[in-house]
Amino acid sequence: MSNKLDDMYREIGSQIKKVRKNKSMTMNELAQKVDLSQSAISMIENGVRQPSLSTLSKFSEVLNYDFTKFLTSQSESFGSMEGSDLKVKSLDFELIMALKSFNSEISDPDINSAAQQTLIKYVNELLNRDEVKEEIDLILKRTIKETLDKKQNELNKLYKQIGDN
């Protein structure tokens, strides 16, 4: 079974191949211009090998093709990868925080994906530990009470103003 990340890389490879052919460029010509082997180009175009961001940037420059277009067709499904949200439940509230970005200096997408998912899982586990949930509950109760007290004070001021008129 393939995952969304694999699908995205297959789509990127397909787009690279399409743009290369539209420019009447051979795999060998592209390989020379981006400093890769012809076999590496073939593997990338067929979704067997995952190009790094710097390699995609080289493709973008050489093919004179907007880099973001390589990611467009899969960006929605990639951005909403299952398990990429942080979730906290407390009292009658549920906070779901979607992953906005994940930065790494490591160019290997498999390592980055594994690290990202591990971090998300660990932070979710931390946030949902009983002692942390109890602390969050206390903080929320205090916040709700302070907000209600503030609203009550505002209402009292309004009642006083109405009564004074």
Side-chain angles (χ1 to χ4, degrees):
M1 178 169 20
S2 70
N3 65 34
K4 292 178 184 180
L5 190 59
D6 290 336
D7 292 343
M8 182 184 75
Y9 279 111
R10 272 192 288 282
E11 180 62 27
I12 288 170
S14 172
Q15 288 184 28
I16 290 169
K17 184 177 189 175
K18 181 179 174 183
V19 172
R20 175 183 60 78
K21 286 185 171 192
N22 284 344
K23 299 208 178 268
S24 301
M25 189 181 292
T26 66
M27 272 195 267
N28 192 40
E29 290 170 329
L30 180 59
Q32 289 175 354
K33 291 183 180 190
V34 295
D35 199 29
L36 290 174
S37 68
Q38 182 175 339
S39 120
I41 298 294
S42 175
M43 288 189 286
I44 289 170
E45 287 185 352
N46 291 306
V48 175
R49 179 175 169 180
Q50 300 172 345
S52 67
L53 288 176
S54 65
T55 300
L56 281 176
S57 182
K58 287 179 187 178
F59 281 128
S60 181
E61 187 178 312
V62 167
L63 296 171
N64 193 28
Y65 187 81
D66 183 9
F67 177 75
T68 59
K69 290 183 182 178
F70 287 121
L71 304 173
T72 339
S73 63
Q74 293 295 318
S75 62
E76 281 185 26
S77 61
F78 180 67
S80 63
M81 285 174 53
E82 202 172 307
S84 66
D85 293 338
L86 297 175
K87 298 177 184 176
V88 182
K89 292 181 182 180
S90 180
L91 304 177
D92 289 332
F93 305 98
E94 180 179 35
L95 176 65
I96 301 172
M97 297 173 279
L99 180 67
K100 183 176 179 182
S101 68
F102 178 80
N103 301 319
S104 172
E105 293 183 12
I106 297 172
S107 62
D108 186 296
D110 293 329
I111 292 172
N112 286 329
S113 179
Q116 174 185 325
Q117 292 305 315
T118 299
L119 287 169
I120 289 168
K121 181 180 177 200
Y122 182 71
V123 171
N124 267 328
E125 287 173 3
L126 280 174
L127 290 171
N128 288 292
R129 284 185 178 168
D130 288 338
E131 62 273 13
V132 174
K133 288 179 83 167
E134 288 171 10
E135 182 69 21
I136 291 171
D137 286 352
L138 287 172
I139 292 168
L140 273 176
K141 286 177 184 178
R142 191 171 32 238
T143 301
I144 291 168
K145 184 182 180 324
E146 289 169 1
T147 304
L148 288 173
D149 288 345
K150 184 178 175 183
K151 286 188 165 288
Q152 186 62 53
N153 287 336
E154 290 171 2
L155 283 173
N156 290 342
K157 285 180 187 177
L158 283 173
Y159 287 140
K160 186 177 179 189
Q161 287 176 350
I162 293 170
D164 289 345
N165 290 333

